Amino acid sequence: MKQITVTLLVLFLFFLFIPTQINAQFGGIGIGDIQNVQVDDLTDDQLMNFYRQMRAQGFTIEEVGNIARARGMPSSQVSRLTSRLNRLATGRDRDSDAAARTTTRSTDMAELQFEPTTQLEDELLISELRRLVMERNEQDLVRELDLIIEEGFPVFGARLFAGTSQSFEPSINIPTPIDYIFGPDDEVRIDIWGAAEREYRVTVDPDGNIRIPNIGPIRIGGLEYGEARERILRNLQRGYSGINLENPQSGNTFVDVSLGNVRSINVSMIGEVRQPGTYTVSSLATVFNMLYAAGGPNRSGSWRNVQIIRGDTVIREFDLYDLIVHANQSDNIRLKDQDIIRIPPYKNRVRLNGEVKRPGIFEMKDGETLADLIQFTGGFSENAYKERIVLHRTTNIQRSISDVRWPEGGDIELRNGDEIEIKEIVDRYENRVRIEGAVYREGDYELTDGMMLTDLLDKAEGVKQHAYLERGIIVRSRDNLMLESVPFSVIDIIEGHADDIPLRRDDLVRISSIFDMQEMMTVRVAGAVNSPDRFEFLEGMSLEDAIFLADGLRDRAAAYRVEVARRVIDDEVRTKVNQVAEVFQFEIDENYQFRGSDREFQLQPFDMVFVRTKPNYQEQLTVRIEGEVEYPGEYVLEKRDARLTDLIAQAGGLSQYAFPEGASMQRILEVTTDQVQRDGFDDRTALLAGLNLENVDLDRFETVNDTTYTPVGIRLGDAISRPYGNNDLRLQEGDVIRVPRQLQTVRVEGGVLSPVTMRFVPGRGLQGYIDAAGGTTDRGQRHRAYVVYANGEVDRVRSFLRIRSNPSVEAGATIIVPEKPVGQQLSPQETIALTTSILNTTILMFTVIDRLRD
């Protein structure tokens, strides 16, 4: 017991000592000497302590990376540091033994970085995606989805920085800006023409001077373009007397001063920006150029208060909404070397969803109102309901809701977290009636005061000739929204024999056609015609007309036997009778003319016309024979009951190299693509499986040109020796017979160690061939092996009283050893659960036995 206590004490001191050492080791490293840190040597706990330290001092991960880079830490180390801090912040690289602590911390961080999505945000997402789909802008749609998945629903303006094809780099192919300030490394172009011609390309040196031969140094560093140009011209006037500064046109020498290659400047991006860092850009770059280069503000960054810091002073605050909404670039100033652009966190954000042109999340300044927000959205949509704008607001204690009317409520100041919803107008009409059916102009009409049913019929330009005049219906909504039917006589209303009916809002007047009131009457033509089909019945339709509509008779038609089957309808009989149809027979002569009055036989609705086929008419039936016959190829069967031996005789007999015992036959299985689609199967294999073919290997079916063949086992040698016997099979259309040469191999496959094709050895048994293939695998089932012979027949291992009888093996055969199905492997958790269950059951059994003994 004492030894165990000592061991536990040592372990306790060890685990107490280790964190102390880690904290002590990292305690001497702060933000000020971060450049000395070797990131790969830091443990997760050390990095967590540093992370807590930097959060307590108000630094973000991006700002820490900028500080480390500025203090001389190599870029590779900075990248590793920010990467590990980001993973640590989201809790993705913590050990499993600290899962509970990490889950709490990572959840908090997630709440800081990504605000939880609400139902309103979901509606915003649907609205935005619907707009992108309507515009068919697939690239913007993909970028929008990527941004939403990564950070949540974007703030208004974020799409401006989401593109990859645009470029907002400053253009250098422009006239020299009048406010451009020259600095070191700027190139100045001086062109002189007139009485003297000369061109100078000089560069501003670090002291701010340019040097022109024979003129001397001219200091232009820090001067705007206008001041620098005037100073250069005054100095040039000493060497070129023809230059007149007061009146340039009166002189004989002219000068043009312009900016050549511009210098590069360094500008730092800090704060809530997507890609913070120091950028080397053209001296023509503006604030917006830098924002675009850095990817714009991140999820927490402000769009309304971008600060430009020069030295220690904030010289300008840039509002991106001024540029996006109003195209105002007054604060989009040109930057100088060592300028800093800082994006602070946002202060106020509101969400707006509903019937506006640009719904979304917007950043608002203090004092901005609902009217300003509507202006940012581009205004109301055409379906906006302005009488009630719903404002959801969070107070210090709970949430509140307000109903705002427009434009009276436009001066309401908005606060952080406000949610505004603008609903759609009600989808109903205040003065609409509708008429449909057998009238000349169906549709919606204006309901005027005192409008009657006859007024609506007049506006619809009356009823059509085939209108059913005995009855019409008005479908009307009651006050409780239940529908009622108001019947009327169309003819009585039109002729004034019935009282006119006043109409109400949303009344639907329906006038049916006489054709709508009866079953569609048809005549069917089938059999040996060119276009068998079902045709619409026509009054006075004759049998000859029906044959004509079916495009005449086919070659196989038995013109002397045309039948018409007619329904037996007797309205007087009210019980079932035996006769249900009456059949008429007709005959057509050699010119396809009906004899006598038959041609004028009048058809009735639902008659069925059948043109029979000649009894002895048969299209040619073709089969194919391949391999070792004298004349292989395609043949037409001469008799209906043609057999294998008949085909061999047509093909000139077997060649001297033929191996009749290995001959095989393929027969068409009537499975086509049309049948697969018609029966609703996904593919041909699914249809074959649905045929209930037991013990059939579906892989043995062969498909050629959309026709599926199935093997048929034949014994050609026996058929030739005994013609018209049981083995001399009758042939069918499309049969393919293959007669191979003498086969000398045997194939072994399936559950054997080495599937192989080997030499046929007369007298070797089935088990000998399996052993020659290395024997069976662990899952191979030797006792269930079977042999597929070259002619397509199959035989298997049989067993009686545990005495096995193996099938014989012939040349060209394939031996297949089936495999046991792969059992499902239990996971460690399932194994533990099963073992625990067995142990509990065993303990329970012993307990019961002990109690029974007692």
Side-chain angles (χ1 to χ4, degrees), residues 592-826:
Y592 298 104
Q593 298 293 325
F594 288 92
R595 294 182 179 179
S597 60
D598 291 349
R599 65 187 306 172
E600 299 301 328
F601 179 79
Q602 297 292 313
L603 298 178
Q604 293 183 8
F606 311 111
D607 279 354
M608 303 177 71
V609 180
F610 297 95
V611 180
R612 303 302 178 185
T613 302
K614 296 174 183 178
N616 198 38
Y617 185 87
Q618 177 64 59
E619 296 180 357
Q620 296 90 333
L621 302 178
T622 61
V623 295
R624 186 174 184 82
I625 186 168
E626 302 172 351
E628 294 301 324
V629 293
E630 295 296 339
Y631 303 103
E634 191 173 17
Y635 288 88
V636 175
L637 299 180
E638 297 178 355
K639 297 180 296 184
R640 292 179 184 272
D641 62 347
R643 297 174 180 258
L644 282 172
T645 53
D646 297 327
L647 178 60
I648 296 297
Q650 283 183 269
L654 300 177
S655 72
Q656 58 181 336
Y657 307 106
F659 180 53
E661 288 75 11
S664 62
M665 183 170 73
Q666 298 283 333
R667 176 157 290 173
I668 293 177
L669 182 67
E670 295 296 335
V671 179
T672 62
T673 301
D674 294 337
Q675 184 177 353
V676 171
Q677 296 174 352
R678 181 176 66 252
D679 294 344
F681 291 94
D682 294 333
D683 53 26
R684 181 175 287 100
T685 303
L687 179 58
L688 292 174
L691 295 178
N692 295 323
L693 301 176
E694 297 183 0
N695 301 322
V696 173
D697 184 6
L698 296 181
D699 294 335
R700 293 178 60 78
F701 288 91
E702 180 181 359
T703 301
V704 179
N705 295 331
D706 200 32
T707 302
T708 301
Y709 293 87
T710 178
V712 178
I714 62 173
R715 297 184 179 182
L716 185 59
D718 294 344
I720 293 174
S721 62
R722 296 181 59 187
Y724 297 94
N726 292 335
N727 293 318
D728 196 6
L729 301 181
R730 290 187 176 89
L731 299 177
Q732 294 183 8
E733 165 76 10
D735 284 349
V736 179
I737 294 89
R738 296 184 176 92
V739 182
R741 291 187 178 185
Q742 179 65 44
L743 301 176
Q744 297 178 324
T745 59
V746 174
R747 173 73 181 172
V748 183
E749 59 185 37
V752 293
L753 293 177
S754 178
V756 67
T757 299
M758 64 185 68
R759 178 174 55 87
F760 171 70
V761 179
R764 177 182 285 183
L766 173 68
Q767 303 302 330
Y769 284 105
I770 294 177
D771 292 337
T776 59
T777 62
D778 292 339
R779 294 193 297 115
Q781 297 177 293
R782 182 188 294 261
H783 63 283
R784 299 187 61 188
Y786 61 94
V787 180
V788 180
Y789 297 99
N791 65 351
E793 293 184 340
V794 180
D795 198 2
R796 63 182 177 86
V797 175
R798 304 178 187 276
S799 178
F800 180 72
L801 298 179
R802 294 190 176 274
I803 300 176
R804 294 179 184 174
S805 175
N806 296 325
S808 62
V809 180
E810 299 177 358
T814 300
I815 300 172
I816 300 177
V817 180
E819 292 182 312
K820 297 178 183 178
V822 179
Q824 184 177 0
Q825 190 73 20
L826 293 179

Side-chain angles (χ1 to χ4, degrees), residues 414-429:
L414 299 179
R415 303 176 186 173
N416 184 36
D418 283 353
E419 297 179 0
I420 299 94
E421 187 175 4
I422 302 175
K423 297 187 177 295
E424 188 178 10
I425 59 174
V426 179
D427 187 16
R428 59 178 297 185
Y429 290 86

Side-chain angles (χ1 to χ4, degrees), residues 524-627:
R524 180 187 171 199
V525 182
V529 293
N530 288 313
S531 301
D533 203 349
R534 193 180 298 273
F535 303 97
E536 183 179 359
F537 173 76
L538 306 174
E539 290 292 341
M541 190 176 188
S542 66
L543 181 57
E544 191 175 34
D545 296 334
I547 300 297
F548 174 77
L549 290 175
D551 297 330
L553 305 179
R554 302 191 68 175
D555 180 60
R556 66 169 181 263
Y560 46 83
R561 191 175 179 88
V562 179
E563 298 177 357
V564 176
R566 177 169 295 169
R567 296 179 180 178
V568 174
I569 302 175
D570 190 349
D571 296 333
E572 300 298 329
V573 179
R574 300 190 178 184
T575 59
K576 291 184 178 181
V577 296
N578 186 40
Q579 187 175 3
V580 295
E582 185 178 2
V583 179
F584 304 89
Q585 291 188 4
F586 303 92
E587 185 175 344
I588 306 176
D589 60 20
E590 62 277 2
N591 296 320
Y592 298 104
Q593 298 293 325
F594 288 92
R595 294 182 179 179
S597 60
D598 291 349
R599 65 187 306 172
E600 299 301 328
F601 179 79
Q602 297 292 313
L603 298 178
Q604 293 183 8
F606 311 111
D607 279 354
M608 303 177 71
V609 180
F610 297 95
V611 180
R612 303 302 178 185
T613 302
K614 296 174 183 178
N616 198 38
Y617 185 87
Q618 177 64 59
E619 296 180 357
Q620 296 90 333
L621 302 178
T622 61
V623 295
R624 186 174 184 82
I625 186 168
E626 302 172 351

Side-chain angles (χ1 to χ4, degrees), residues 139-140 143 159-169 292:
Q139 292 183 350
D140 282 353
R143 285 195 295 267
R159 289 198 304 119
L160 186 64
F161 299 102
T164 56
S165 59
Q166 305 100 321
S167 176
F168 285 92
E169 295 179 359
Y292 188 82

